[in-house]
Amino acid sequence: MESGPLLLLLCLLPLVGAAVVAAVPARAAEAAKRLAVAVALATLAVAVVVALRFDRGADAPYQLADRYDWIPQFGVSLSLGVTGISVALVALTAVLVPLCLLASWDDGRASSRRPQTHLALMLALEGLILAAFCARDVFLFYVCFEVMLIPMYFLIGGYGGAQRSYAAAKFLIYNLLGGLVMLAALIGLYVESRGLPGAEDGTFDITTLATQLELGTTTERLLFLGFFLAFAIKAPLWPLHTWLPDAAVEARPGAAVLMVSVMDKLGTFGMIALCLPLFPAASVWARPVVVALAVVGIVYGALVAIGQSDLMRLIAYTSVSHFGFIIMGIFAMTSQGQTGATLYMVNHGFSTAGLFLIAGMMVTRRGSRLIADYGGVQRVAPVLAGSFFVAGLSSLALPGLSSFVSEFLVLVGTFTRYQAAAVVATLGIVLAALYILLTVTRTLSGPVRPETEGFRDLRGREAAVVAPVLAVIIALGFVPGPLIDVIDHGVDDTLASVSQDDPAPSVPAAPVAEGSPE
Amino acid sequence: MDPLNYLYLSAVLFAIGAAGVLLRRNAIVVFMCIELMLNASNLAFVTFARTTGTLDGQVAAFFVMVVAAAEVVVGLAIIVTIFRTRRSASVDDASLLKF
Amino acid sequence: MSTLAVEAVDGPTIEYAHLSPLIVVLGAAVVGVLIEAFAPRERRRALQLGLGVLALGGALVAVVALAGTVDVAAEGAVAVDGPTLFLQGTILALALTALLSVGERSLDPEGDAFAAQASAVPGSTAERTLTREGVTQTEVVPLYLFAVGGMLLFPAANDLVTMFVALEVLSLPLYLLCALARRRRLLSQEAALKYFLLGSFSSAFFLYGAALLYGYSGSLRLGGIAEAVSSSSSNDGLLLVGTALVGVGLLFKVGAVPFHAWTPDVYQGAPTPITGFMAACTKVAAFGALLRVFYVALGGAGWDWRPLMYGVAALTMVVGAVVAITQTDVKRMLAYSSVAHAGFILCGVVALDRAGVSSVLFYLVAYGFATVGAFAVVTLVRDAAGEATHLSQWAGLGRRSPLVAGIFALFLLSFAGIPLTAGFTGKFAVFEAAAQGGSPSLVVIGVLTSAVAAFFYAKVIVLMFFNDPLPDGPTVAVPGVGTTVAVALGAAVTVALGVVPQVVLDLADQAALFVR
Amino acid sequence: MEYLPIVALGAIALGFAVFSVVAGALSGPARYNRAKVDAYECGIEPTPQPVGGGRFPVKYYLTAMTFIIFDIEIVFMYPWAVHFDALGLAGLAAMALFIALICVAYAYEWRRGGLDWD
Amino acid sequence: MQELLADDPWWLVVGKAVALFGLCVVLTLFNIWLERRVVARMQHRSGPNRHGPFGLLQSLADGVKLGLKEDLIPKAADKVVFVLAPVLSVVPAFMAFAVIPFGPEVSILGERTALQLFDPSVGVLYVLAIASVGVYGIVLAGWASGSTYPLLGGLRSTAQVISYEVAMGLSFVAVFLYAGSMSTSQIVAEQQRLWFAVALFPSFLIYAVSMVGETNRAPFDLAEAEGELVGGFHTEYSSLKFALFFLAEYINMVTVSALATTLFLGGWRAPVPLSWWDGANEGWVPLVWFFAKVFLVMFVFIWLRGTLPRFRYDQFMALGWKRLIPASLAWILVVATVRAVTQSTDVSRQELLTVLGVALAVLLAGLLLWPSGKDDEARDGGDARATGATGPAGSGGGAAPAAAGPAFDPMAGGFPVPPLPGQQLPPAPPRVPAGAPAPGARTTEEEPRA
């Protein structure tokens, strides 16, 4: 299908927009905000076109492919293309960014900084994230993966809470360390790829590498570990998750959403799009350990979340738990598991975005992040409370809301391979119910505390932010089919590249997967 | 005489110079030790010119002399300036720059 | 002597055209001395700076015109080949950029960065009088040109004596330039003393090593040594010790651990524009020479020196990065960072193949421009006592002057090796060469130390952007044209080499063949 | 063996010098007097001086440095002069350039008053 | 010649060395006597005439007297170096003599040999090197005395010796160029046709001047300028240690005279009319010509002392650095050009000399008319001095300002005068360079505001 430089447009639009917004003079701050949102919406429009153009029936793993030379010296090209998985995540990104911009309408004014910078950083981040999702070139992926740390770093450190510089530094060091280890593996991969047909000097092209590269066992395992470490930090997989709560808490809600809901997906995306296809044998080798870590993460995240007194921190820990599910699904290496995991990425993105954004609004009103400081919000601000409730329910995967389908698919997919893991992970669901419901009751219901009395309900801009999120949550809960189709398209390729088939069902689980509500 | 003896001598001179640089504290003495090292090199050059039957070593010695002279000029300029500022030529006194 | 009398000797053939960059720069330096001698005092400064810019620019043009030349010139003393021309071009471009910063006089109310008169005792009445009269030490430019001349010759030298002479021509003016800071003269003089003593110490090592290699091979020519190395199979002690000593001398100039002790002191004490020049250009020249010696002459003995070089590279990266964390002074921090960078570049040297050369060449360009730019930025941040180099004084700089702080952050990110900056491309290139050359573990060490290094770069960024400014903190001086251009050039190259490195990578790759 | 003559002469001279120093110390009277072992300053109460005499004009340093430069020049000139006929015009040109370069430094020092004493 | 010397048996070598040593000592005693007699004659006195015939034993008597004097070592002195210095001074003086050729091939006890102790191919270089070692004796003597006058005297003589050594060294270049060798015997052989004093007259002139400067003799005897420095570097020496310095000085005089003879005056070869006699240059006869020439030069030394007043230090240094050196360099270039051009091209010597003569005249005129560097540059030098370390009581560096304090003027009458008890040295104002250009120049009236 002739696509033209559609993906290039998709990636460059926010980047160019960022540059333009940054150049807007200080007095035209309001215009800059509108301009930024316009850029984000335009990007969304392009993303929609991309999604519509995506052909679920096509054979090629990458669609809308596009390729420009960049550094031929290193065999690096600007080579873009989308799989089903990427399309889903591109859509997630494109939808959430305008909302985040809206949500952080006034954040840019924090600490006497130019709001333009804030907006530009967010747009730049979007561009880089989109480019990473669309990259068909490992080098390009790595570049975006690393560079996006910088805008994120400034978003946390420049505009966050009291501990922001500590949080920002922690964020940067963890991720940079991961990234640099990945760099070592990247170089190793490149060196190993020398002499492949058509790439005497080495190549970074994912397809070529995935299909033609033969690695020695040790080399493959080492390279796998290099990549996996970076992704596990980013994702965050227990026990490498400790940077996340700090960063998410200290960042402004908009930035936190960008980080947890979108950027961190690059970790899980990387696992599914790079680790598995490039290092199939090593992935299988590491599978049990990874799944075990994921399960620990699920339970640990949930347990710690229960113990939190800080609202934002609680949400951050729920994400740790959820990322455990996603990783477990990916490494189960079953079609349900991976489809579920990918779907989970999207759903988690929206539900967490909802939680962070709405919680952020509450924090802005109350001026405190402590759960104990709230109470009876539903009396004074019923719409706000309701939205929070829905987002919370989505997070605990209530049937009918988006997360349910994905969580279910993940569990089923895992169960066919690792029954014990699936069983333990189910505990996570129970715990999720606990932490969400506890939080909801503590904050929303109960007597109205004097401090919460003046709570405004959702107003125009805030409503405009929250409404789409909730709409998507509910819509995906009821109609996940089209999305699953798209995702399946990518997942099949991935599984094929790992040469993993779904294990023969030892328990009749498969029919249940089909029975997901459509 | 056996040229090896000259080599031993040059090695000993070089070692003395190096040890002097590391052990002595007076800038001028340190500096003289460095010159000693250069001259040890010259001796080695000339000896090797003899053993290998080439002239390069002797030519090298000439250049080293020039360089050593230039080094003396620059080095003493610096040491004299510091001496005038601080009235001391001890390396230990120059300790504003600390790790 | 009369026994050596020979029949008529033919005059040496000197390929003047091929040596034209050297001749232009050194000739200009000589003219500079004449200007000092004969031009009236008030016109000297303008003349000198004009001469300097003209000479460096002219030499750069000459280098470009020579592109592609492969020749052993001046009776085998000077090799004009790809690496030579590439490095000479780099050095000239960097020196030109740094000269703009050296010539800056609008930052300090008392004049430029250099002492009114080097011989005046700091704090004396004489010095105050001179300062009031606006006297400047214009000898800076000829000295600078001599140093550049030495740097041009250093990587081109094809025999060990020429290399030694180049080393000294490069070093001696630098020792003097280090002592010339207008502010903090004591520190500056002390830096010069340390630099001088340690520098001469290391040159002596180099020289003795050269003597031993000469004794081993009977030739001072690198090619002759290479022949001797390849023809003899035994592990001759002279070769080993000679290699080690020559290595010590070169590694000292490069600033590799354990020969790095001078770096922080000298970088801190020297006048900042000179620090920038020295940090960038010396490193370029010294790595050029290191490559030439170890690749051309001692390439055949790779089995002997590579393990050692490997160890030095690892140690350099680790020590540079770890010690930098504890630094509280910007210039010292950059100094230790330069040590760490020397380690990264050494990774490329260890590779001992063409990719190693080209990656080192590229890294040097990337590092050089970021360094010149970074030190030029350091000259801008000032308080009443001159430059404010203590890190605590930099707190909140991002609020006061987002542009300057942003550019400095860009340089730091490049040092840290963040993608889309020159530093990343360079790091990728050297690590790739090292991995290809069979030292993957070096890559891992390099990557981990990069993370450590990133920590202290991030610390500075945090300080600049996320901390509140001190109430009586330093201000950012409005730079004159020279510094502005220098900083802008540094930033532009840093970004360009990160985003579209292809041209320079290609150049480096084409240039990566030594003439033998 | 080649150097025996100067070794012999040097030994004789050294023996004589040492003998003189020792003999001078032994032969003369030794009558202690505080003023005699003080530094001689034409009868003025001597200013205490460290060995090395403390500080002296920087001028001497300049002279010494200039001397070194010219001495090195001479070092290069001698072999050139001895083999002048073999070197021919190329040798002449090289030496002319060399002298010209030295003269540049020389002119600088001269103009800057490095050769002036007062 | 070298071959001839190479197979000398050991007894001959030792014998020659002893003879040379004796010769040095005797010549010294004789020269001291000669100097006193000649100078006395020039001043219409009679000089020493009591001891021995014509007072010839006067010097010996003086030496013995010195030996019986008390040998003092000042308490501020560095003992070891103080004792070492005279030894360091006198040994090189003896050794420098080794390469002088006294005559042609002779037969001693049946052994064919040359009248020369040692003939290396770098003979003249050897003399220069050994002479440089002798400088250590002077500077260390001044340094080790632990006293002001000797220190300054030592520095002065060192500066003087090295200053004139450059000119001396340059004057040799032309000789080597013509002789094609640095061996003394070879150089003598090359002068068979024409003395270099004639062929290279400017070189000879330069050598003659610098030889006097090199040996610290009048009119260049500034190191021992009694009026300024008491006795110079050997102020604190007495007894035989002092005698050693004295000995070294006179041997050095003989050495430079002998060198002048060897390099410029044809060495042991007979002068022109006498050389027509065949036997003049054979056997032991040439010793006569040699010593005649040496004493001629010695006489000039003495003559100078008897005639000329002492130079001022700055005049002396200016002569060395600003006149002799440029002249030497120019002369070397002229000689080299003439020789190279006549040998490698067909340009005739006359044409060439004309061209060069004109060029040289222009150059010299330029040099003479050149401003002496005293315009705005004087300030640089002045500053260097002003900020330079000044000697005790501000008298050493010549940095004392011209400002006249009402109570005490340290520069009254143009001489630096240390303050007497009760007098205070006025605080040194910043240097106001003499003749500084008007802009920025500050007058002393402004000073209080500084």
Side-chain angles (χ1 to χ4, degrees), chain C residues 373-464:
Chain C
F375 279 105
V377 171
V378 172
T379 63
L380 296 180
V381 183
R382 319 183 71 94
D383 59 16
E387 287 160 10
T389 56
H390 199 270
L391 268 179
S392 65
Q393 292 172 298
W394 282 54
L397 202 70
R399 310 275 170 81
R400 294 226 165 113
S401 179
L403 187 65
V404 168
I407 290 179
F408 194 69
L410 171 72
F411 292 136
L412 292 179
L413 292 177
S414 179
F415 289 143
I418 301 294
L420 295 187
T421 60
F424 169 72
T425 322
K427 227 171 239 179
F428 183 86
V430 289
F431 287 162
E432 193 258 317
Q436 182 71 27
S439 335
S441 50
L442 208 51
V443 177
V444 174
I445 298 172
V447 156
L448 293 178
T449 48
S450 293
V452 177
F455 175 73
F456 62 80
Y457 297 125
K459 208 174 72 176
V460 178
I461 296 181
V462 166
L463 200 68
M464 287 194 302

Side-chain angles (χ1 to χ4, degrees), chain E residues 9-317:
Chain E
W10 68 267
W11 54 264
L12 188 55
V13 168
V14 173
K16 278 190 195 173
V18 171
L20 205 60
F21 172 77
L23 183 71
C24 285
V25 176
V26 171
L27 274 180
T28 302
L29 295 177
F30 178 74
N31 279 332
I32 295 172
W33 172 83
L34 183 70
E35 176 165 20
R36 297 177 69 176
R37 292 288 286 195
V38 171
V39 170
R41 259 320 129 89
M42 289 175 173
Q43 296 165 342
H44 302 284
R45 299 186 280 112
S46 47
N49 55 5
R50 295 298 163 94
H51 303 284
F54 309 105
L56 266 171
L57 295 180
Q58 178 67 41
S59 316
L60 192 63
D62 287 346
V64 172
K65 182 198 73 178
L66 272 175
L68 297 173
K69 292 288 177 188
E70 180 173 0
D71 191 32
L72 284 176
I73 297 183
K75 68 167 186 283
D78 183 318
K79 303 279 181 303
V80 178
V81 181
F82 187 80
V83 174
L84 194 66
V87 177
L88 256 181
S89 187
V90 81
V91 172
F94 278 111
M95 290 180 70
F97 224 72
V99 293
I100 303 294
F102 292 87
E105 187 180 326
V106 294
S107 162
I108 298 175
L109 299 177
E111 190 70 40
R112 313 271 325 146
T113 183
L115 276 178
Q116 183 175 5
L117 179 59
F118 180 49
D119 186 22
S121 59
V122 289
V124 182
L125 209 56
Y126 167 82
V127 176
L128 284 176
I130 292 288
S132 305
V133 178
V135 178
Y136 280 102
I138 298 176
V139 76
L140 288 180
W143 180 83
S145 294
S147 171
T148 312
Y149 291 120
L151 176 70
L152 291 176
L155 281 172
R156 267 198 185 188
S157 5
T158 311
Q160 182 172 343
V161 170
I162 63 174
S163 299
Y164 278 68
E165 195 166 303
V166 172
M168 183 186 256
L170 287 173
S171 72
F172 291 156
V173 173
V175 173
F176 299 151
L177 214 144
Y178 267 76
S181 168
M182 280 193 272
S183 147
T184 44
S185 58
Q186 196 70 32
I187 292 171
V188 171
E190 292 287 332
Q191 294 182 79
Q192 197 163 6
R193 260 187 50 231
L194 188 63
W195 288 3
F196 285 148
V198 181
L200 302 168
F201 185 67
S203 283
F204 177 59
L205 220 56
I206 292 163
Y207 176 77
V209 175
S210 50
M211 132 185 125
V212 181
E214 173 95 354
T215 44
N216 288 337
R217 286 286 301 184
F220 301 146
D221 55 345
L222 301 135
E224 32 207 275
E226 295 88 349
E228 301 164 31
L229 291 168
V230 193
F233 62 88
H234 50 53
T235 302
E236 300 287 358
Y237 282 87
S238 60
S239 184
L240 281 179
K241 289 211 269 294
F242 172 75
L244 286 182
F245 281 120
F246 216 73
L247 182 65
E249 184 178 335
Y250 275 84
I251 296 177
N252 280 336
M253 272 167 67
V254 179
T255 309
V256 292
S257 304
L259 205 60
T261 306
T262 306
L263 295 187
F264 292 100
L265 300 176
W268 45 261
R269 291 185 172 277
V272 168
L274 292 170
S275 61
W276 295 335
W277 166 42
D278 281 346
N281 286 330
E282 278 172 25
W284 295 84
V285 183
L287 277 179
V288 177
W289 318 135
F290 180 80
F291 281 106
K293 290 172 186 175
V294 168
F295 282 117
L296 186 71
V297 179
M298 281 300 301
F299 176 75
V300 174
F301 264 113
I302 296 164
W303 191 8
L304 285 174
R305 175 167 175 203
T307 315
L308 294 177
R310 182 179 295 139
F311 264 50
R312 225 170 53 211
Y313 199 64
D314 61 324
Q315 293 169 329
F316 169 77
M317 291 304 259

Side-chain angles (χ1 to χ4, degrees), chain C residues 1-2 4-12 30-31 33-34 36-39 41 44 117 137-139, chain D residues 55 58 78-79 82-83 85-88 90-91 94 97 100-101 103-109 111-112:
Chain C
M1 281 283 167
S2 56
L4 299 173
V6 276
E7 63 279 13
V9 182
D10 286 332
V30 171
V31 174
V33 174
L34 286 176
E36 284 301 320
F38 296 109
R41 181 190 287 280
R44 271 185 219 151
Q117 192 169 52
Q137 187 91 43
T138 39
E139 277 90 344
Chain D
R55 320 178 96 197
V58 156
Y78 280 4
V82 169
H83 293 288
D85 292 349
L87 295 171
L97 181 67
L101 284 175
C103 283
V104 168
Y106 181 61
Y108 172 73
E109 189 178 355
R111 288 281 300 177
R112 283 306 178 88

Side-chain angles (χ1 to χ4, degrees), chain A residues 70-73 113 139 142 146-147 150 153 157-158 164-165 172-173 176-177 180-181 184 187 190-191 194 204, chain C residues 399 413 418-420 424 428-429 431-432 435-436 447 450-451 454-455 458 461-462 465-466 499 501-502 505-506 509:
Chain A
W70 184 19
I71 318 180
Q73 192 82 39
R113 237 170 258 278
F139 190 91
Y142 174 78
E146 282 289 270
V147 173
I150 301 308
Y153 175 63
R164 61 179 189 274
S165 64
L172 188 71
I173 296 309
L176 210 55
L177 178 68
L180 286 167
V181 172
I187 291 168
Y190 178 60
V191 170
R194 293 254 159 114
F204 284 110
Chain C
R399 310 275 170 81
L413 292 177
I418 301 294
L420 295 187
F424 169 72
F428 183 86
F431 287 162
E432 193 258 317
Q436 182 71 27
V447 156
S450 293
F455 175 73
I461 296 181
V462 166
F465 286 96
F466 306 156
V499 178
Q502 187 50 39
L505 278 174
D506 266 346
D509 191 49

